[in-house]
């Protein structure tokens, strides 16, 4: 069994990006600039955005963090997005989700300039991805593809089962794994909360990508020998024995499933670190396109 070490691979990618940025500086070019908008004070979102800002510093990007109160109106947020769209100094930006209830997320995502949408959530970028055109791939699916590639996981002709149909992970992953090329060329089954006999489907899978958000959902008896397991789930589970009072748990019963798997991602340290690394990669691509 091989651990798909997202921490290590994300560090490699950051080093590669930093080297690119050094070349840009040496040539007197403008370095990439990533901005992030966060509305409200959701703890998990603040932590996540903070780690994105630190990652920018590490690779030599410029970064801007726009904090807005949770009482921000939809109009105020749309105005701020318009400002970033028109700011030539900003190469890419993200709007941290979830947004407060008074704001229509769909409207917000539609307002982001597709050429600066480094999250890959704009319908134009999503459509291009579905049509196999060059575009920004959402960071988490992009990170999963990169892990499969760097560990030389064979996907051609394999049966991939995706658990979860979110627009951020499950749906794009099902499209990407069935595309021509590598990683891809697999036969994909997309499962979700209304799928019947899910264990019957997962036991036939060569590759399982679980993005459900249900701790320890995928058990050893639901997996065949030598399957490749990608765990996208990340849930805080209360644990009195832990100093923090909680542990971070994935969708997969790692202890037992890892005994059967050929490759598996740990939680934490698997897909999570890859998401930020690929956001940086998308920002580098945005900078190159703007040149």
């Amino acid at each position: 069994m091989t651990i798909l070490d997202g921490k290590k691979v994300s560090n490699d990618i950051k080093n590669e990006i930093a080297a690119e940025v050094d070349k840009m500086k040496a040539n007197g070019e403008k370095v990439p600039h990533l901005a992030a908008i966060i509305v409200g004070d959701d703890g998990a979102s603040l932590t996540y955005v903070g780690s994105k800002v630190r990652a920018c510093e590490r690779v030599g990007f410029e970064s801007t963090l726009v904090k807005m109160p949770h009482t921000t109106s939809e109009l105020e947020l749309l105005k701020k997005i318009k400002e970033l769209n028109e700011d030539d100094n900003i190469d890419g930006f993200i709007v941290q989700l979830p947004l407060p209830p008074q704001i229509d997320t769909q409207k917000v995502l539609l307002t982001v300039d597709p050429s600066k949408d480094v999250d890959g959530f704009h319908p134009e970028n999503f459509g291009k991805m579905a049509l196999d055109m060059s575009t920004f791939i959402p960071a988490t699916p992009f990170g999963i593809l990169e892990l499969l590639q760097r560990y030389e996981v064979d996907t051609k002709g394999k049966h991939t089962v995706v658990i979860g149909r979110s627009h951020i992970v499950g749906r794009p992953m099902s499209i990407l794994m069935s595309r021509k090329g590598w990683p891809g060329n697999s036969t994909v089954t997309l499962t979700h909360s209304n799928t019947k006999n899910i264990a019957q489907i997962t036991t036939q899978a060569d590759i399982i990508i679980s993005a459900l958000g249900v701790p320890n959902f995928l058990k050893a008896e639901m997996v065949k020998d030598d399957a490749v397991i990608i765990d996208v789930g990340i849930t805080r589970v209360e644990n009195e024995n832990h100093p923090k009072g909680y542990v971070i748990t994935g969708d997969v019963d790692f202890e037992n499933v890892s005994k059967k798997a050929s490759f598996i991602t740990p939680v934490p340290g698997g897909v999570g670190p890859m998401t930020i690394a690929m956001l940086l990669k998308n920002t580098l691509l945005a900078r190159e396109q703007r040149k």
Side-chain angles (χ1 to χ4, degrees):
M1 184 270 295
T2 303
I3 294 274
L4 296 169
D5 188 344
K7 215 169 179 179
K8 182 202 172 293
V9 175
S10 71
N11 272 328
D12 293 346
I13 291 166
K14 284 175 189 167
N15 291 337
E16 290 159 17
I17 293 171
E20 285 292 320
V21 173
D22 286 342
K23 274 188 218 163
M24 286 176 162
K25 285 179 181 167
N27 293 335
E29 293 173 29
K30 177 191 173 305
V31 301
H33 188 157
L34 174 69
I37 300 176
I38 184 162
V39 184
D41 42 22
D42 175 70
S45 292
L46 284 166
T47 304
Y48 195 43
V49 168
S51 56
K52 288 171 181 172
V53 171
R54 284 193 300 279
C56 282
E57 281 169 18
R58 182 183 153 185
V59 298
F61 284 11
E62 286 182 28
S63 68
T64 299
L65 179 55
V66 180
K67 283 185 179 174
M68 302 180 84
H70 69 94
T71 51
T72 300
S73 71
E74 189 179 279
L75 199 65
E76 286 169 317
L77 178 57
L78 295 178
K79 198 175 154 198
K80 180 53 74 180
I81 290 170
K82 197 166 176 289
E83 272 175 40
L84 295 183
N85 282 342
E86 291 165 2
D87 186 344
D88 281 340
N89 192 34
I90 305 279
D91 297 300
F93 69 93
I94 60 157
V95 181
Q96 185 65 39
L97 303 179
L99 291 165
Q102 73 272 18
I103 297 171
D104 180 348
T105 301
Q106 213 57 41
K107 199 184 276 188
V108 165
L109 297 180
L110 277 167
T111 310
V112 175
D113 178 347
S115 73
K116 293 189 176 191
D117 167 41
V118 287
D119 255 338
F121 293 163
H122 192 284
E124 186 179 310
N125 289 328
F126 198 97
K128 281 181 173 176
M129 177 199 70
L131 292 168
D132 258 350
M133 294 164 74
S134 161
T135 189
F136 298 120
I137 297 173
T140 301
F142 197 7
I144 294 168
L145 294 180
E146 196 74 19
L147 271 179
L148 294 171
Q149 209 166 358
R150 295 202 181 210
Y151 278 91
E152 297 179 358
V153 176
D154 185 20
T155 60
K156 187 180 178 180
K158 304 292 184 188
H159 181 198
T160 297
V161 171
V162 179
I163 307 174
R165 55 180 164 185
S166 77
H167 296 158
I168 294 171
V169 184
R171 191 81 51 86
M173 216 57 239
S174 68
I175 294 167
L176 293 162
M177 289 302 284
S178 65
R179 68 181 181 168
K180 281 183 181 172
W182 175 68
N185 275 326
S186 67
T187 302
V188 180
T189 304
L190 179 61
T191 65
H192 44 78
S193 52
N194 288 306
T195 302
K196 289 178 178 164
N197 307 325
I198 199 162
Q200 256 180 336
I201 298 168
T202 55
T203 48
Q204 295 168 26
D206 303 305
I207 301 166
I208 299 173
I209 300 167
S210 185
L212 201 61
V214 177
N216 298 316
F217 171 81
L218 194 73
K219 303 277 191 272
E221 60 271 17
M222 296 167 74
V223 174
K224 73 175 184 182
D225 287 340
D226 292 331
V228 175
I229 310 293
I230 307 287
D231 189 351
V232 188
I234 184 155
T235 310
R236 283 185 181 196
V237 178
E238 283 182 29
N239 185 328
E240 290 170 5
N241 302 323
H242 199 273
K244 286 183 178 172
Y246 66 86
V247 286
I248 298 291
T249 307
D251 286 357
V252 177
D253 173 6
F254 184 88
E255 196 181 329
N256 296 305
V257 172
S258 60
K259 292 169 186 163
K260 294 176 86 173
S262 56
F263 293 89
I264 190 167
T265 60
V267 175
V271 174
M274 293 299 295
T275 299
I276 291 178
M278 302 323 278
L279 180 71
L280 297 175
K281 198 158 186 176
N282 273 344
T283 307
L284 182 65
L285 290 171
R287 174 74 220 124
E288 285 166 357
Q289 283 167 16
R290 298 186 79 72
K291 273 199 289 194

